[in-house]
Each structure stands twice: as C-alpha cells, then as structure tokens.
C-alpha cells in the first residue's frame, strides 16, 4: 500500500488534481469551480487529504461551524466525503484516511466527527456501514429517512437544523439547491437544464453560495438537494432516468 498522502493547501491547490474527476490536459469546468470553492475554504480549517497518485482516494472534512450543511453543533468536524474507487478499494486506504481524520480531531480537541447518512444508503453519500465500524452512531433523523451519524468523544452530539428535518418548500416546480463543492455538480446542472428545456419542464436552480444560506437550507444537504411538487426528493445527483422518475410523480 502506497502511504504517500498529500493535504491540499493554498500553495499547492493550483497544481494538485482533485481526485473526483481526473483530467490530464483539458480543464474541466466542474473541477475548476471546486478549486475556486476550496480556495476560500482552506483558511477555515477545511481539510482535503488524498493519495499522492492519479487516483480517487481522498477524504474531505471541515469544522462543523464552517461546513456548508444545515447541521448545528459545537466543536465537531463534518465529514463531507470519503471516497476510494477502482483498484484502490479494499487495500486499507479508507481506514488510513478515517484514522487520520479521527487523530486530527482528537489532536485539535474536537468533540467528535459527524456525517450525513440515510436509512437506505445513498450513492452520493459516504459509506455508512464503513464509518459505523469506527463507532459512528445515528444521533438524529429527519422525517424522510435521512440520518445524522456521529462519533462523539465527549458525549455531546450535533443535530439537524429544524427546517432540514421537515423538508418542504412552497414552489411546486422542480427546484434544485446546489453549491460548487462537488466537481460533478456543474455537468449535472447542464444535463438537467438541457432535458428540461427540450421537454418544457419548469426548473429553478438555487445556488448556495454562502455559509449562512447553507445553514438555513430547507433540506438535508451535502452539496445538492432536489425538490419537486414542494416535497424533498434526494441528495443524489441525477441521471436522466432518475429525473424522469421524479417528474412522473
């Protein structure tokens, strides 16, 4: 196992690849949008640690107080993403990255680490069964099956903001809240715009571009949230088949 890891800093952010979408030559608009988003986050204590290889092996977390999610709590880390893909799976990289995050939290005197989950695992959320092996437990739930998992070091626990627990909006049209933290968001928006234009489907995109907006969201959120007919649908990015299923409701 390669044990050479690198943490992104304001100094190396411009030259390091960002793991999720790896391009050797052509600039990718989603990757560049994430780079811009990260450049403003790194000074807030945001951590992006990755394997020093052309691979999707990384962990991303931040102090809960400055994490762009509608979760409240004191002195926690929020785990956005822990992702190992392809031939790198099953080689201990996930364990190594998780242990780094836990050690970092303890060293900084944090009360614990939390992350978004769901009763049924969502494809765009980190693996709940994996983090439960480290002691993460469900500490809060929403009306629609999402869960807040936490590893508490001192008995305190974070919780969902009240609006996120009972997600409803007044608008009945397809409404998508997003930020630029995930490189896949950009292309997903383009696909949905194109589909909705061709099929005459009204759609609203609401960019979450400040911490305050994120904390006051009307739904759970990791970087994406979809509403239709006033009801919350998913934190998952959409493909055409998924979009069609939602619109049939």
């Amino acid at each position: 196992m390669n044990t050479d890891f690198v943490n992104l800093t304001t100094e190396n952010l411009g030259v390091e690849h960002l793991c999720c979408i790896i391009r050797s030559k052509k600039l990718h608009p989603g990757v560049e949008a994430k780079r811009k988003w990260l450049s403003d986050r790194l000074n807030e204590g945001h951590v992006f640690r990755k394997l020093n290889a052309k691979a999707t092996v990384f962990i991303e977390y931040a102090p809960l107080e400055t994490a762009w999610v509608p979760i409240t709590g004191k002195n926690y880390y929020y785990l956005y993403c822990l992702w190992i893909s392809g031939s790198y799976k099953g080689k201990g990289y996930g364990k190594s990255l998780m242990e780094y995050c836990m050690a970092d939290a303890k060293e900084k005197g944090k009360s614990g680490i939390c992350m978004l989950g769901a009763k049924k695992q969502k494809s765009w959320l980190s693996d709940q069964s994996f983090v439960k092996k480290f002691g993460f437990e469900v500490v809060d739930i929403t009306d629609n099956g999402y869960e807040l998992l936490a590893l508490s070091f001192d008995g305190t626990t974070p919780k969902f903001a009240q609006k996120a627990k009972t997600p409803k909006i007044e608008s009945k049209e397809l409404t998508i809240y997003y930020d630029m933290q995930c490189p896949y968001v950009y292309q997903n928006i383009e696909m949905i715009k194109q589909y909705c234009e061709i099929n005459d489907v009204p759609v609203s995109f609401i960019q979450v571009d400040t911490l305050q907006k994120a904390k006051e969201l009307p739904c759970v959120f990791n970087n994406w949230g979809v509403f239709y007919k006033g009801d919350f649908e998913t934190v998952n990015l959409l493909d055409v088949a998924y979009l069609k299923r939602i619109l049939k409701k």
Side-chain angles (χ1 to χ4, degrees):
M1 179 171 125
N2 178 355
T3 54
D4 183 14
F5 289 92
V6 59
N7 284 27
L8 293 184
T9 64
T10 49
E11 287 75 34
N12 68 14
L13 178 60
V15 294
E16 291 287 348
H17 73 74
L18 300 186
C19 291
C20 321
I21 300 175
I22 299 169
R23 292 283 183 273
S24 50
K25 291 173 185 166
K26 196 177 171 191
L27 289 178
H28 185 286
V31 172
E32 296 318 303
K34 179 177 177 92
R35 219 182 282 280
K36 167 82 177 67
W37 187 88
L38 270 176
S39 70
D40 297 325
R41 304 282 80 73
L42 290 173
N43 290 329
E44 300 169 352
H46 188 106
V47 175
F48 188 111
R49 180 174 175 81
K50 62 174 190 142
L51 188 67
N52 195 10
K54 211 170 215 185
T56 303
V57 178
F58 72 99
I59 192 168
E60 188 170 1
Y61 59 90
L64 182 57
E65 291 84 350
T66 55
W68 285 31
V69 289
I71 295 167
T72 60
K74 285 186 178 169
N75 205 32
Y76 260 72
Y77 269 146
Y78 177 76
L79 175 58
Y80 283 105
C81 197
L82 173 59
W83 194 14
I84 320 293
S85 78
S87 61
Y88 291 86
K89 279 184 177 177
K91 295 186 175 173
Y93 289 114
K95 182 172 183 281
S96 178
L97 288 168
M98 192 71 238
E99 286 173 348
Y100 175 89
C101 177
M102 289 162 65
D104 185 24
K106 284 175 179 171
E107 189 186 317
K108 293 200 170 62
K110 295 289 180 191
S111 294
I113 305 160
C114 62
M115 67 170 254
L116 179 61
K119 279 181 183 163
K120 188 182 175 195
Q121 175 71 45
K122 306 290 180 188
S123 53
W124 288 88
L125 294 179
S126 299
D127 185 347
Q128 291 144 226
S129 59
F130 178 75
V131 300
K132 283 177 180 174
K133 291 174 188 170
F134 294 87
F136 279 72
E137 295 176 340
V138 176
V139 295
D140 202 2
I141 55 171
T142 69
D143 289 355
N144 57 342
Y146 284 88
E147 299 176 336
L148 180 60
L149 286 83
L151 172 64
S152 178
F153 301 145
D154 63 5
T156 64
T157 53
K159 59 180 190 281
F160 287 118
Q162 196 53 45
K163 278 200 286 188
K165 292 184 81 161
T166 51
K168 286 271 180 191
I169 59 170
E170 284 185 21
S171 172
K172 300 299 179 194
E173 70 183 28
L174 182 66
T175 303
I176 295 171
Y177 292 86
Y178 71 95
D179 67 26
M180 300 314 297
Q181 192 238 348
C182 172
Y184 288 98
V185 162
Y186 180 91
Q187 64 201 53
N188 214 237
I189 288 171
E190 294 305 303
M191 180 277 288
I192 294 164
K193 272 183 186 167
Q194 194 176 4
Y195 180 89
C196 290
E197 208 172 291
I198 292 166
N199 294 281
D200 291 323
V201 176
V203 59
S204 291
F205 293 95
I206 301 171
Q207 183 169 2
V208 179
D209 52 10
T210 67
L211 176 65
Q212 186 181 349
K213 281 184 191 174
K215 292 294 185 193
E216 295 172 357
L217 277 161
C219 59
V220 294
F221 188 80
N222 209 38
N223 46 55
W224 184 260
V226 181
F227 281 87
Y228 187 54
K229 295 186 176 174
D231 294 323
F232 185 68
E233 292 292 338
T234 187
V235 291
N236 279 357
L237 296 185
L238 307 176
D239 57 21
V240 170
Y242 198 166
L243 181 54
K244 282 181 178 174
R245 282 204 304 279
I246 290 171
L247 294 172
K248 271 183 188 165
K249 293 186 176 182

